[in-house]
Every structure is written in C-alpha cells, then in structure tokens.
Amino acid sequence: MVKKVAIIGAGSCGLPAIKCCLDEGLEPTCFEKSDDIGGLWKFQDDAIEGKASIYKSLTINTSKEMMTFSDFPIPEDYPNYMHNSQVMDYFRSYAKHFGLLPYICFKTTVLSVTKQPDFSITGQWNVVTETSGIKESFVFDAVLVCTGHHVEPYLPLASFPGLKKFKGKILHSWEYKHPGNFRDKRVVMIGLGNSGADITVDLSHAVKKVFLSTRSGSWIISRVSCNGYPMDVTYFTRFRTIVRHIIPMCLLNMWEENKVNSRFDHTNYGLKPSHRFFSKYPIVGDDLPNGIISGRIAVKPDVKEFTETAVIFEDGTKEENIDAVIFATGYSFSFPFLEESIIKTKNNHVSLYKYVFPPFLEKPTLAMIGLLQPLGAIMPIAELQVRGATRVFKGLIKLPPEDVMMADIIRKKKENEKRYVPSRHIALQVQYVNYMDEISSFSGVKPNMLSLLLKDPKLAWEVFFGPCTPIQFRLMGPGKWNGAREAILSQRKRIIKATKTRDPPNDSKETPPALGFLFLKSLWFLAFVMAIFVYL
Ligand code: NAP
C-alpha cells in the first residue's frame, strides 16, 4: 500500500503536492534544494546555476482568481496581477495555513531516483539526497516530481554569426535582475516571449535605446480586458470554450486579430506575426506598445550578424555601438536525477499520459507535475494533477494499459502539431479550460453542469458564464470544499475590491437597465440553457 511519498521541489507545484498528500492520508517528504519555498517565485539578487531566476519587476500575467489554489482563495485586497513578492506572500500564507513547512527538508538536493530491485511488485523508489555534503538514501512508495521547467536557460549562440567577435556583454534573460546595470546603454533583446517583452519594457525606462529583435513577431494582449476585468477572467469561461469549439477557427482568428489590432495595429508596430492568433500563444505585454509609441523601444527582425560593436538585422539595418545583448530565448528542461528509461526528454519533448504519468512504468508510482505550457496559470493545474496522481498512487484510479496511454499521447501530439506553429513548446501546450476539465474528470472532481443547474441555478450561471476558476473543482467529488460555493459567488467582488479603492461620487445613482440590455440578457439565458445541453 502506498504511504510514503517523496516530493521533489517546494515551489508552486510542490506546495499543493504536500497538501494533497496530507488530504489523502499519505506521508509526504518534500526535498527542496534551496533554503526557502516558492521555487521560481523567490526573487534573489543573483542567478544561481541549477535554480530558476526571476527579475525584480516581474509581475505575474495570470490573475489572482485564476491562479489561486482551489480551497484557499487569494485575499480580496491582493491586486489582480500580483508582483512576485506578493505571490511569495500568498505561498507563505498557504504553507502556514495548511501546516506544510514541517514536511519540507530544505537545502537538500535529490541526486537520484531509481527503481527498487523489486519495483515490479512494490512500485517503490530509492531516493538519494545530499544535504551539506552528506548523502542519504531513502525508500519511498511514490514520487511526485515538482521541479519546474524554467531552470536551464536555452542559449542558441551558435545560430548567430559573428557573435564570438562581439565585445559587449552577452547574457540570458535568466541572469537579468534589474535595469540598473544598463543605464544609458544601447541594448539588443533577442526573443519575443513574455520574458523578452517584460524585460524590454523594464529596460526601456533606463537605457538609451532598446532594440527588440523577433524572428516571428507575436500577437500582444493586455492584462486589462473587457470592462477592466483581468484578461484570463473574461477569456477562460466554459461558455466561451464551447463557442470556440462551435465557430470555425478562421472566424475566431479574424475576430481576435481584429480585437487586438483595434488596440494598436500590429503591422504598424512591427509586431505582426505570420501565424494566426490561435496558432501560438500571444504575449501578455501591456506596456510594449507604449514603449514603441514613445520611441524607447524599436522592434527589429531576426539578427543576421554581429560585428565587434554592432548588430546587423535581416532587413539590412545596422545598429552601431551596442553595449549588451540579452537572449530571452526561453528554457530547456531535463531531469538529471531520473534515468532515461523512466522519462526521456529531447528538444523539450516528453511523452506523458495526461501530461503527468510516464506510460512505461510497471507500477504507476511516479508523476511529473506542472510540466506543461498553458495560456493560463500553472498552479491550479498542478494542484489538479496531484489530486489525480495521489489517487492513482492509492489505487483509487487505474491508468489504462500502456498502448492506450501511448495512443492518447500520440493523438494529442498530432492535434498540437495541427493546431500550433512549430515551436520548442509545442509538445507542452494545452488549452486551459479543456485541460482543467480533462484532468478533473480523470480525478472525479469536474463540476456536473446539469446537476448544478437543477440544484443551484445561480451557482450554475456563474460556473458556466463566469471565469473557470480553480475553485469550481472543489464543488463536488473527492476533496470537496464546503466554502467553494460562497467563494465562487464572491469572486467578482474580490476582483473589483482590488481595483475600486475609491468610491466614485455618482455610484449610488445607478441607471435602470435599458430594454435592450434586458433583451440581451434573455438571449444569454437562452444560450446558457442550450449550451448546457450541447455540453452534455
Ligand atoms: P519563451 O516563451 O520560450 O520565449 C522564447 C522566445 O525566444 C520566443 O519568442 C522564441 O521565438 C525566441 N527564440 C528562441 N530561439 C531563438 C533563436 N534561435 N533566434 C531568435 N529567437 C529565438 O521563453 P520566456 O519568454 O522566457 O518565457 C518562459 C515562460 O515563462 C513562459 O511560460 C512565459 O509565459 C513565462 N513568463 C511569464 C511572465 C509573467 O508572468 N509576467 C514573464 C516572463 C515569462 P519564436 O517565437 O520565433 O520561437
């Protein structure tokens, strides 16, 4: 019987892993390399090899209601998009509230995780750790790998001709901390991912000029969406997800591209990509267009060549006197403590059933958590994954045979290849609501819309039309939380509380709803009932 579970990493995936183990009556031991919780979200002044590293100004691009752990809502006075220090505050209060710290062995590195000789019978693992130079070996019934995938900087230096000659500073975004060191310099940023966009804006307030080189461009969306609600709150609803399945992709692309272009025309800002909106995840880059329109940032195509002091771009333009080049070219991942026979990673590709379970194990006692790339928060996804994994460990959920798992993995890979343009992330990409529903069905915690509609129409309305927040997955099934209903019905209050820090004077004089508005609302209701039937 599975009892003792090793958890590797005490970051945003490791913390809910400890809690879920406790909820399931398991005995977790979490090994954490550093001296604190939080993983990537713990800001440090210097980048340390083997650890994720963030910059001082980093503000998360998923909103609090969408990234919250499902039975511990982020307080209403926290901003909707939190600075990294506030994310850490939330993690600390989560760990304190659920008493997670005593289960963490800090400053302990996991050196290896290997199968015990009788693995095919027991499913047990041998875990070797090192703490202050002392090695220890333990036997565990199961392992949850929560080490993240933003630790190893990907630096494609060889693909840039002349870079060896370049005399300025060369670094990866992983090393970037704040703009201070670049004051009054001319900097080239390579790569338009979220790091590239964020750091370019951060730098632009201090440097003489920053050139943002992008080989494929990107669609840019804003954190602030319809009526000032956070982007993910308006975007990730069950209703919209169904609509997106019904409407042809070309129309959806046209609609979204039109919407983002009405904020600023991507062609005129040099950012327009060759791919359609839904073929690649957009960048959440609120301030990028501001930097461009103010002339602090210049968008450039791919780099053709470096000289000692200059950068020549594919369009033939040349920028002289460049002091530094920052490669915001993303990350690679690997699991050096695991043998290749357990998990094989190649060019950021990995084969996992439901993005969690290695399909070739004789016993399903190891799970990889948070190893995916959603346009949305990873924390609640990780939480749902561990809720499923712990129940698999206990034998309450059975994995299908190996060939069925492989067929599912291959089908998903093909779907991704069809839907997205090629990229280093392609194998990890998931659609947020669809994946949350898939993994929650697997764990038996997906809300049943028909039963909700019959029992509690008010709640059903919010679950269906409102944001698909993680709390929805605490309404029923194992791990049900009695506070879930109230927390869902008060989520909009928590969103607004953080922005409405002043009561506008005419607030009391609410205008009566116009007839048109009432008509629209009735149409929504009709759509709601119809959609529930389609959905079922
Ligand atoms: P990323 O998303 O992998 O983006 C890397 C960028 O580098 C891509 O635009 C890619 O271009 C470009 N690139 C890669 N190789 C290149 C080459 N040889 N030549 C030119 N360009 C190249 O990495 P990231 O921006 O560091 O983000 C990592 C993760 O952290 C993402 O999940 C991101 O959402 C997250 N993040 C979040 C925040 C936030 O919450 N505020 C901030 C930063 C990062 P192509 O597009 O052409 O492949």
Side-chain angles (χ1 to χ4, degrees):
M1 199 177 77
V2 170
K3 202 75 193 151
K4 291 170 67 178
V5 181
I7 296 164
I8 309 176
S12 58
C13 302
L15 292 174
I18 306 174
K19 174 175 184 283
C20 289
C21 284
L22 294 172
D23 288 349
E24 288 290 340
L26 301 170
E27 293 169 17
T29 304
C30 177
F31 298 110
E32 167 56 46
K33 204 183 242 184
S34 75
D35 60 358
D36 203 353
I37 61 166
L40 179 148
W41 291 99
K42 170 79 197 271
F43 173 79
Q44 287 185 301
D45 289 327
D46 298 302
I48 300 163
E49 211 186 313
K51 275 209 69 199
S53 161
I54 54 171
Y55 35 96
K56 185 93 179 163
S57 64
L58 177 67
T59 296
I60 197 161
N61 57 22
T62 52
S63 76
K64 65 175 178 178
E65 291 303 323
M66 301 301 285
M67 63 162 276
T68 185
F69 292 125
S70 56
D71 51 359
F72 192 68
I74 296 177
E76 58 179 15
D77 56 334
Y78 273 50
N80 284 292
Y81 290 103
M82 300 189 281
H83 182 254
N84 61 78
S85 56
Q86 288 160 317
V87 175
M88 275 303 288
D89 287 347
Y90 172 63
F91 286 165
R92 287 195 200 292
S93 54
Y94 179 77
K96 190 170 168 219
H97 182 80
F98 292 110
L100 309 182
L101 293 181
Y103 299 93
I104 306 174
C105 306
F106 289 107
K107 296 187 184 173
T108 303
T109 304
V110 170
L111 300 179
S112 66
V113 175
T114 49
K115 291 175 182 172
Q116 282 284 92
D118 56 356
F119 181 82
S120 57
I121 301 158
T122 63
Q124 287 181 323
W125 298 90
N126 185 265
V127 177
V128 178
T129 64
E130 186 185 323
T131 317
S132 315
I134 298 167
K135 284 188 186 170
E136 276 187 281
S137 171
F138 305 88
V139 174
F140 282 96
D141 300 317
V143 177
L144 288 164
V145 179
C146 304
T147 47
H149 54 98
H150 297 127
V151 174
E152 297 168 27
Y154 170 65
L155 255 177
L157 300 183
S159 49
F160 290 90
L163 190 61
K164 280 193 183 139
K165 283 185 274 176
F166 181 67
K167 290 201 168 137
K169 201 172 159 60
I170 298 170
L171 65 155
H172 188 272
S173 57
W174 172 81
E175 293 165 79
Y176 175 83
K177 291 292 165 181
H178 52 78
N181 299 339
F182 300 90
R183 204 157 292 283
D184 297 326
K185 304 268 193 263
R186 284 165 60 82
V187 181
V188 170
M189 175 73 61
I190 295 177
L192 177 53
N194 278 302
S195 299
D198 266 10
I199 297 173
T200 299
V201 168
D202 201 29
L203 279 171
S204 72
H205 297 286
V207 296
K208 200 176 267 175
K209 184 98 179 185
V210 52
F211 303 93
L212 172 59
S213 159
T214 169
R215 61 181 177 184
S216 32
S218 182
W219 297 107
I220 311 287
I221 52 175
S222 171
R223 282 181 170 86
V224 185
S225 190
C226 307
N227 295 318
Y229 276 97
M231 176 275 293
D232 47 5
V233 160
T234 50
Y235 205 76
F236 298 124
T237 70
R238 291 181 179 282
F239 175 67
R240 277 186 167 227
T241 304
I242 294 172
V243 170
R244 265 182 230 127
H245 280 288
I246 298 169
I247 296 180
M249 190 51 87
C250 58
L251 291 182
L252 288 174
N253 277 321
M254 240 163 67
W255 171 267
E256 290 298 337
E257 288 165 15
N258 209 22
K259 209 162 82 181
V260 292
N261 273 333
S262 68
R263 182 172 167 233
F264 71 91
D265 188 321
H266 283 53
T267 306
N268 295 344
Y269 278 59
L271 290 165
K272 186 175 181 291
S274 47
H275 59 261
R276 303 303 306 267
F277 188 87
F278 284 103
S279 304
K280 195 169 178 194
Y281 288 163
I283 302 298
V284 184
D286 305 72
D287 298 326
L288 194 59
N290 285 341
I292 297 171
I293 202 166
S294 314
R296 299 191 306 271
I297 298 168
V299 180
K300 291 283 186 179
D302 209 0
V303 171
K304 185 175 171 209
E305 188 186 348
F306 283 89
T307 70
E308 287 188 0
T309 54
V311 180
I312 303 165
F313 297 93
E314 286 289 358
D315 60 359
T317 54
K318 184 176 184 182
E319 291 300 335
E320 304 273 6
N321 305 320
I322 296 299
D323 299 289
V325 177
I326 303 179
F327 284 85
T329 40
Y331 294 85
S332 301
F333 61 82
S334 62
F335 304 94
F337 50 85
L338 283 172
E339 285 167 10
E340 262 208 6
S341 61
I342 297 164
I343 181 158
K344 192 173 169 190
T345 56
K346 200 175 166 213
N347 299 331
N348 277 12
H349 282 247
V350 68
S351 292
L352 294 169
Y353 178 61
K354 305 265 176 218
Y355 298 88
V356 178
F357 303 101
F360 303 120
L361 289 178
E362 301 93 308
K363 293 270 173 184
T365 53
L366 184 133
M368 311 295 294
I369 305 302
L371 194 51
L372 29 69
Q373 188 82 37
L375 174 63
I378 284 193
M379 294 83 170
I381 287 185
E383 194 193 21
L384 274 176
Q385 288 180 327
V386 276
R387 285 172 73 190
T390 46
R391 295 178 69 74
V392 168
F393 295 164
K394 286 171 68 178
L396 299 171
I397 301 172
K398 296 259 178 288
L399 294 187
E402 196 181 300
D403 58 332
V404 177
M405 290 199 266
M406 274 318 293
D408 187 64
I409 292 168
I410 292 166
R411 183 180 55 80
K412 288 200 170 95
K413 279 193 176 160
K414 283 193 178 145
E415 275 172 16
N416 273 11
E417 278 162 13
K418 204 168 143 204
R419 174 172 179 153
Y420 301 112
V421 290
S423 82
R424 297 181 73 246
H425 300 146
I426 192 164
L428 302 184
Q429 282 184 206
V430 294
Q431 294 174 58
Y432 186 77
V433 179
N434 296 16
Y435 182 72
M436 292 287 271
D437 273 353
E438 179 183 349
I439 196 77
S440 60
S441 303
F442 174 78
S443 317
V445 298
K446 183 183 161 194
N448 179 324
M449 285 308 302
L450 185 60
S451 116
L452 262 192
L453 182 64
L454 296 175
K455 279 195 218 143
D456 193 340
K458 187 178 172 193
L459 181 62
W461 178 279
E462 185 61 10
V463 167
F464 192 74
F465 284 117
C468 181
T469 53
I471 305 171
Q472 294 193 1
F473 303 97
R474 290 280 177 188
L475 283 170
M476 42 190 78
K480 178 175 181 235
W481 173 47
N482 287 337
R485 180 182 191 274
E486 183 44 40
I488 291 170
L489 293 179
S490 55
Q491 60 202 11
R492 288 169 196 266
K493 200 174 128 244
R494 284 193 299 282
I495 294 171
I496 292 166
K497 173 83 179 173
T499 51
K500 197 178 169 192
T501 48
R502 170 180 170 263
D503 259 336
N506 62 351
D507 222 22
S508 54
K509 292 184 219 149
E510 273 185 17
T511 35
L515 270 181
F517 178 73
L518 284 178
F519 176 67
L520 212 65
K521 224 168 170 183
S522 326
L523 277 184
W524 276 110
F525 184 74
L526 215 66
F528 175 49
V529 176
M530 278 168 64
I532 293 264
F533 283 103
V534 174
Y535 188 66
L536 294 169

